[in-house]
Amino acid sequence: MKKILTLIACVAALVSCGTAQQPTPIKVISYNIRMSAAPDADGDNRWENRKQASINMINDQQPTLLGLQEACPDQVAFLDENLPDYKRIGVGREDGKAEGEMMAIYYRDADFELEKSGTFWLSETPDQVSMGWDAACKRTCTWVLLRSKADGRRVGYMNTHLDHMGPTARKESIKLIVAKIAELFDKETPLFLTADFNSPDDDPIFDPLKAVMTEARSAAPESDNRATFNDWGRSNDAVIDHIFLRGAKPLTFKVLCDENYGAPYISDHYPVVLTAEY
């Protein structure tokens, strides 16, 4: 009898090991695409001259999740048309529909199905079109809750762009995002946050966020500290685009600053790329 019980225990252990859930790989890109609304100011770097290079970058990197900042309606329409493997979520910040820059989220259709999504404004009245605190313009955060088609596991993703002028707006926006994380996502749900934060990652404004999420650049075992804002080659020291994560293991973090995708610069920001598993 003892031998039979031992055999049963061994079989149960083997079955348990064989059915243990394996980590799921994921690649997340944050990309300030540089708005198309200022072609004269951008000169040779105007959107028309670099839009195909942006598609080339995305096709080369094949992100699972992609967050855009500064995406204007014509840019979103071009990406929608040329990224058939992705679905997109987001609204214009000026009217909550199609007007103005969009904090667009793209996700691979083969990997996920959408459960919930939304947009809130970075302001004292986040559920309505509004401008907050000392910000120079309206700012939004787009979020999604996705379900994996492979194993049914949920993943949360938020994408935003903090104000470039208002220090109070940046500080209060982080507090608002932290509150929204608690409101929108279960603690057990892996979560990613991408943004042009317009702040270095050692700025004290990040303290509330770092209490609930991990900054990927410093946590990934394979990483770099390259500049993310290039200002069309005039800057090489601004590190203001970041990725945060929770409930996932960071593997690599990279700034895409050396690759040639068919234009001298695909934007005045370099994309930043995180690979992870959850």
Side-chain angles (χ1 to χ4, degrees):
M1 183 58 131
K2 186 180 293 186
K3 289 183 178 180
I4 293 175
L5 291 175
T6 302
L7 179 60
I8 291 173
C10 291
V11 170
L14 288 171
V15 170
S16 175
C17 291
T19 59
Q21 200 164 45
Q22 297 300 308
T24 301
I26 192 167
K27 179 185 277 192
V28 184
I29 291 183
S30 181
Y31 177 33
N32 183 324
I33 201 168
R34 171 60 180 174
M35 62 179 181
S36 60
D40 292 338
D42 291 342
D44 291 341
N45 295 308
R46 67 186 64 200
W47 171 244
E48 188 65 30
N49 294 341
R50 55 188 176 83
K51 63 182 184 180
Q52 185 57 48
S54 287
I55 297 296
N56 295 343
M57 181 275 291
I58 297 167
N59 286 337
D60 174 67
Q61 291 294 318
Q62 292 288 302
T64 322
L65 300 172
L66 168 67
L68 299 183
Q69 301 91 38
E70 291 194 21
C72 292
D74 61 312
Q75 293 172 296
V76 171
F78 180 77
L79 266 67
D80 287 352
E81 181 180 354
N82 287 275
L83 297 174
D85 294 335
Y86 292 84
K87 288 190 175 180
R88 188 257 304 165
I89 298 295
V91 299
R93 70 184 186 185
E94 298 300 324
D95 62 354
K97 298 177 182 177
E99 183 182 349
E101 297 175 21
M102 181 186 300
M103 303 308 106
I105 286 177
Y106 286 83
Y107 63 92
R108 288 188 63 84
D109 187 34
D111 295 328
F112 294 113
E113 60 183 29
L114 180 67
E115 286 206 347
K116 297 179 182 178
S117 66
T119 294
F120 59 89
W121 276 256
L122 304 183
S123 76
E124 299 94 326
T125 54
D127 296 327
Q128 58 187 267
V129 178
S130 52
M131 186 161 59
W133 304 287
D134 57 351
C137 52
K138 297 181 181 74
R139 300 288 183 179
T140 60
C141 179
T142 303
W143 63 271
V144 295
L145 179 63
L146 304 168
R147 181 184 290 272
S148 169
K149 291 182 177 179
D151 57 23
R153 300 166 76 187
R154 290 185 175 90
V155 175
Y157 181 32
M158 307 174 81
N159 178 53
T160 191
H161 187 181
L162 300 194
D163 198 70
H164 64 301
M165 294 295 291
T168 300
R170 290 193 292 273
K171 181 178 180 180
E172 295 301 320
S173 293
I174 290 291
K175 293 180 182 177
L176 175 61
I177 289 168
V178 170
K180 285 291 186 179
I181 288 172
E183 174 186 330
L184 297 170
F185 303 100
D186 293 337
K187 290 183 179 180
E188 296 75 22
T189 301
L191 178 64
F192 299 88
L193 167 65
T194 58
D196 171 1
F197 287 96
N198 274 309
S199 303
D201 61 3
D202 59 355
D203 192 308
I205 67 167
F206 289 110
D207 289 349
L209 182 59
K210 289 179 179 179
V212 297
M213 299 189 78
T214 300
E215 195 273 315
R217 181 192 304 270
S218 59
E222 181 181 333
S223 186
D224 67 37
N225 198 38
R226 307 287 291 273
T228 66
F229 175 62
N230 61 65
D231 194 23
W232 309 122
R234 295 186 291 263
S235 174
N236 62 1
D237 59 358
V239 183
I240 56 176
D241 302 87
H242 313 299
I243 300 177
F244 285 78
L245 73 164
R246 181 192 74 182
K249 178 183 178 181
L251 300 176
T252 67
F253 181 93
K254 183 179 182 181
V255 179
L256 295 182
C257 55
D258 296 324
E259 291 73 11
N260 184 347
Y261 291 113
Y265 296 94
I266 63 174
S267 173
D268 60 347
H269 288 244
Y270 295 119
V272 294
V273 185
L274 167 70
T275 64
E277 58 185 24
Y278 65 94

